[in-house]
Amino acid sequence: MTDFDLVEKINKLKKEKNAIILAHCYQSPEIDFVADYVGDSLGLSRLASKTDAKTIVFAGVYFMAETAKILSPDKTVLLPNKNSGCNMADMINLKQVREFKAKNPGVPLVCYVNSTAEVKAECDICCTSANAVNVIKSLNLKKVLFAPDCYLGNWAKKNLPDIEIISYPGFCPTHLRIIPDEIVKMKIMYKDAKILVHPECHQEVVKLADFVGSTTQIMQYCATANAKQFIIATEKGVVDRLKRDFPDKEFILASSKLVCHNMKWNTLEDILNSLLHNQHEVTVEENIRQKALNSIQRMIEVT
Ligand code: 13P
Ligand code: SF4
């Protein structure tokens, strides 16, 4: 079957089944032909909390589908390819989050949504890369714990110097692949280019940025900036979409290593099979869901 046939079948089936397809912008770009919404983790969480579709097909990674299920327990949530995990989310489990809290008794925990439902259930409030600084600030505290991404934690600390932020030592292997030297070399080649960096990158890379933001914030910056050249330090999917949407501007991926293989598992065929056979359904145990829901809802209220 060609991609064209697959797209036609999926779009037809989607209507018949009253399903919505949510896609993260790190997905392969052909997924956009069937997606109802493409965005960053924050935008996707908001959409998942509002939709009245019966089924949500989540073209993203497991923690994102789980977040959708937490927000919409009565809907069927499907992850097209069950291999779509996240290395960062896997770096902290229930035992580890409890140990982290026990070492810092009484200090509230802010948890990046790139984590499992079990971990979210243990925290006080969630955040995404788009709102981490605002979420921490909203707590009005002198000290917080942050998990699992210590680089996003560092970025928040830089923006909130009066707050002590104790970070768990997790990280995103994809974003850490970019080293400052690569950006410096790019800047010599493209001297007028703006440098845009995701906060999951190393702080030495963040220091070189003209703008630091989530995937959607980076895309919005490129859409409105007067500059014509942009060096992008986040996952390749963002650059693929920017090149497609703004053909008059030039987008340079900061390193060819910026590919998240977890995000690339889902194919159009998987999405079709997921709609045809209701696979792979994501479930969350009710007790955990309730607690995780509080943390996610608190975040949504802040933003
Ligand atoms: P955002 O969608 O918050 O930019 O997150 C990046 C990411 O790593 C998602 O897995
Ligand atoms: Fe996880 Fe990093 Fe991939 Fe995002 S980019 S899904 S944090 S491994």
Side-chain angles (χ1 to χ4, degrees):
M1 222 185 296
T2 65
D3 275 6
F4 183 81
D5 295 330
L6 287 165
V7 168
E8 227 181 10
K9 272 191 192 301
I10 293 167
N11 283 335
K12 191 163 166 270
L13 207 55
K14 199 168 76 171
K15 282 203 192 96
E16 281 168 23
K17 296 197 115 183
N18 186 13
I20 187 174
I21 300 179
L22 303 181
H24 191 271
C25 34
Y26 295 170
Q27 292 288 289
S28 302
E30 67 274 13
I31 304 290
D32 293 10
F33 290 119
V34 296
D36 295 278
Y37 176 83
V38 183
D40 66 359
S41 310
L42 180 60
L44 293 165
S45 308
R46 283 202 184 116
L47 252 277
S49 70
K50 280 192 206 133
T51 178
D52 40 41
K54 209 165 143 266
T55 299
I56 300 174
V57 179
F58 216 111
V61 290
Y62 190 79
F63 74 79
M64 295 179 175
E66 224 180 26
T67 302
K69 185 67 186 179
I70 293 165
L71 287 160
S72 298
D74 300 333
K75 300 187 195 312
T76 305
V77 177
L78 305 171
L79 183 69
N81 188 307
K82 62 175 182 331
N83 296 314
S84 308
C86 165
N87 299 88
M88 185 200 288
D90 290 344
M91 286 177 192
I92 184 162
N93 59 25
L94 184 60
K95 183 169 172 275
Q96 289 163 318
V97 72
R98 285 187 174 158
E99 280 167 6
F100 184 49
K101 288 200 322 182
K103 272 191 209 146
N104 303 279
V107 186
L109 173 65
V110 181
C111 177
Y112 192 21
V113 290
N114 298 25
S115 53
T116 61
E118 268 187 344
V119 170
K120 287 185 179 82
E122 290 290 311
C123 80
D124 295 273
I125 187 165
C126 286
C127 74
T128 75
S129 64
N131 63 17
V133 173
N134 285 341
V135 164
I136 297 173
K137 203 168 155 189
S138 76
L139 299 176
N140 224 350
L141 293 167
K142 285 267 161 276
K143 192 174 179 179
V144 295
L145 301 179
F146 191 85
D149 184 13
C150 65
Y151 293 94
L152 183 59
N154 277 335
W155 167 243
K157 201 159 157 177
K158 202 171 164 220
N159 282 275
L160 302 165
D162 296 336
I163 303 176
E164 189 185 346
I165 300 173
I166 303 170
S167 293
Y168 182 84
F171 59 89
C172 164
T174 305
H175 284 87
L176 278 201
R177 284 190 207 121
I178 174 84
I179 56 166
D181 237 30
E182 289 173 287
I183 307 243
V184 172
K185 282 186 188 139
M186 291 271 177
K187 187 66 183 167
I188 295 168
M189 272 160 41
Y190 304 94
K191 61 180 182 345
D192 296 325
K194 294 284 178 204
I195 300 168
L196 312 186
V197 174
H198 195 282
E200 285 174 14
C201 292
H202 196 282
Q203 58 266 42
E204 293 306 315
V205 172
V206 168
K207 271 188 199 158
L208 300 170
D210 292 296
F211 177 77
V212 180
S214 74
T215 50
T216 300
Q217 289 168 337
I218 287 177
M219 289 167 98
Q220 280 162 353
Y221 180 102
C222 295
T224 53
N226 288 328
K228 286 278 176 231
Q229 287 180 329
F230 304 85
I231 296 165
I232 311 284
T234 189
E235 211 276 339
K236 181 177 176 290
V238 170
V239 172
D240 292 337
R241 286 171 176 83
L242 285 167
K243 283 184 176 167
R244 177 197 65 195
D245 296 344
F246 305 102
D248 298 341
K249 297 184 177 182
E250 193 176 356
F251 301 99
I252 306 114
L253 185 64
S255 162
S256 57
K257 293 170 287 187
L258 282 166
V259 177
C260 172
H261 298 286
N262 299 310
M263 280 279 182
K264 307 301 187 197
W265 281 105
N266 296 313
T267 63
L268 288 172
E269 256 145 10
D270 291 330
I271 293 180
L272 178 62
N273 282 330
S274 120
L275 281 165
L276 280 172
H277 311 297
N278 260 14
Q279 67 191 32
H280 300 274
E281 187 164 357
V282 173
T283 54
V284 180
E285 204 253 293
E286 186 53 22
N287 183 32
I288 292 172
R289 191 192 72 79
Q290 285 288 348
K291 291 189 203 150
L293 180 65
N294 284 340
S295 315
I296 299 170
Q297 267 174 343
R298 273 193 81 189
M299 166 187 85
I300 292 176
E301 278 158 24
V302 169
T303 45

